[in-house]
Amino acid sequence: SKKICYLNYLPLWNFIIFLLLPPKTILGPITGTAFRDNYINIFNFFEKISLIIIKFRYKKVIFSTNFYTKKYLLSKKDFKSDFILNDFKIEKARRQKKYDFVIYYRKNSKLQKDYINNIIYNLGKFNYKFAIIGDKIKITQGKNFGYVNRKKVKKIISQSKFGISNPENLYSFFVQDCLSYNLLVFYNIFFIKFISVYKNNLIPITFKNIKKDLQIILKKTKI
């Protein structure tokens, strides 16, 4: 009479898991990304197989984001999305700001390494101050904090005016924390159709065209 719940990493493309789990297993949340190189079509094929299995074996399914419910036009009744936003809440913002930009930087990101170096270099000409969380990057106007716990991250964010997200993730905890402190967050325009909350605080940029992105950022930050 016991119920089984699967809580481990659960990407939609892994159809073997959905096929072999006991019937009526409580799933999720199912995770994954809509941001992939176009040539990796095999993952799209695997996802479609998983959805066929899920529709036959499971009644209600929870997704961590809305990527798949929008991508495959899934029924809102049976497929719940944006579980990752369940604990999102507004925090009391600080008036005194020490940094202009807070950036979560990962050197192994395909899009981020050269781009972030260039954008920081160009924004530095306007005397912006940066707070870098994650992997360290060479800066003269700001501070590298390294990898710190979420409590410390929130404190750094609360002392900042604007955020630049990881280009491969939309509603990461970093972005959520930035939004909770009412920061303007510059995010990858690829995700524009998946925006579901705080649209006014999310500003799309290309993460490719430095000149174009710099114009957008300077305009929005009123420099």
Side-chain angles (χ1 to χ4, degrees):
S1 63
K2 301 294 183 181
K3 292 185 177 181
I4 298 173
C5 182
Y6 187 91
L7 293 176
N8 200 3
Y9 173 58
L10 189 56
L12 183 62
W13 56 262
N14 197 336
F15 64 91
I16 299 298
I17 293 179
F18 300 106
L19 183 63
L20 298 181
L21 282 174
K24 299 182 181 180
T25 299
I26 300 170
L27 299 177
I30 297 172
T31 187
T33 180
F35 186 80
R36 290 200 189 103
D37 294 327
N38 292 328
Y39 62 84
I40 311 182
N41 292 322
I42 189 67
F43 284 104
N44 294 329
F45 177 68
F46 289 164
E47 288 171 359
K48 291 176 181 178
I49 294 176
S50 293
L51 287 173
I52 292 172
I53 296 170
I54 288 170
K55 288 177 180 178
F56 276 101
R57 301 196 75 208
Y58 308 97
K59 291 183 177 180
K60 290 187 177 181
V61 182
I62 298 172
F63 288 93
S64 62
T65 65
N66 64 1
F67 294 160
Y68 295 122
T69 52
K70 285 183 175 290
K71 181 178 179 179
Y72 295 113
L73 301 177
L74 301 177
S75 164
K76 292 183 179 180
K77 180 180 178 181
D78 298 323
F79 297 90
K80 306 297 182 182
S81 62
D82 284 333
F83 181 82
I84 197 171
L85 297 173
N86 272 13
D87 292 326
F88 178 78
K89 60 181 180 180
I90 302 299
E91 304 283 356
K92 186 176 180 180
R94 295 190 180 193
R95 292 185 178 180
Q96 297 295 325
K97 304 291 185 179
K98 295 174 64 175
Y99 310 101
D100 294 297
F101 285 92
V102 58
I103 301 172
Y104 173 48
Y105 171 68
R106 294 190 309 160
K107 62 183 178 182
N108 63 345
S109 170
K110 290 181 180 179
L111 293 180
Q112 220 180 5
K113 188 174 182 180
D114 293 336
Y115 176 88
I116 289 298
N117 275 290
N118 284 330
I119 205 71
I120 287 177
Y121 172 77
N122 282 281
L123 289 173
K125 297 176 182 178
F126 297 90
N127 296 318
Y128 280 118
K129 291 183 179 179
F130 303 91
I132 309 298
I133 299 167
D135 293 314
K136 292 185 178 181
I137 192 169
K138 190 175 181 180
I139 55 173
T140 56
Q141 294 169 271
K143 183 176 180 180
N144 282 291
F145 288 91
Y147 285 92
V148 293
N149 61 44
R150 195 175 180 194
K151 183 178 180 180
K152 177 67 174 178
V153 170
K154 286 186 173 184
K155 182 178 180 181
I156 297 167
I157 288 173
S158 70
Q159 297 172 330
S160 306
K161 299 176 183 178
F162 313 101
I164 297 179
S165 74
N166 184 299
E168 297 164 5
N169 200 337
L170 176 57
Y171 285 126
S172 64
F173 286 123
F174 171 76
V175 172
Q176 288 189 52
D177 290 339
C178 286
L179 294 176
S180 72
Y181 284 100
N182 200 33
L183 271 66
L184 279 184
V185 180
F186 298 92
Y187 75 99
N188 192 340
I189 195 172
F190 173 86
F191 293 109
I192 194 168
K193 62 183 178 182
F194 300 109
I195 298 295
S196 57
V197 297
Y198 272 69
K199 295 181 180 180
N200 292 336
N201 283 61
L202 289 163
I203 312 299
I205 56 176
T206 68
F207 278 92
K208 295 178 181 179
N209 189 324
I210 293 289
K211 184 177 180 180
K212 182 177 180 180
D213 289 351
L214 189 63
Q215 290 176 343
I216 295 172
I217 293 171
L218 292 177
K219 181 179 179 181
K220 292 295 181 179
T221 53
K222 298 180 180 179
I223 294 296

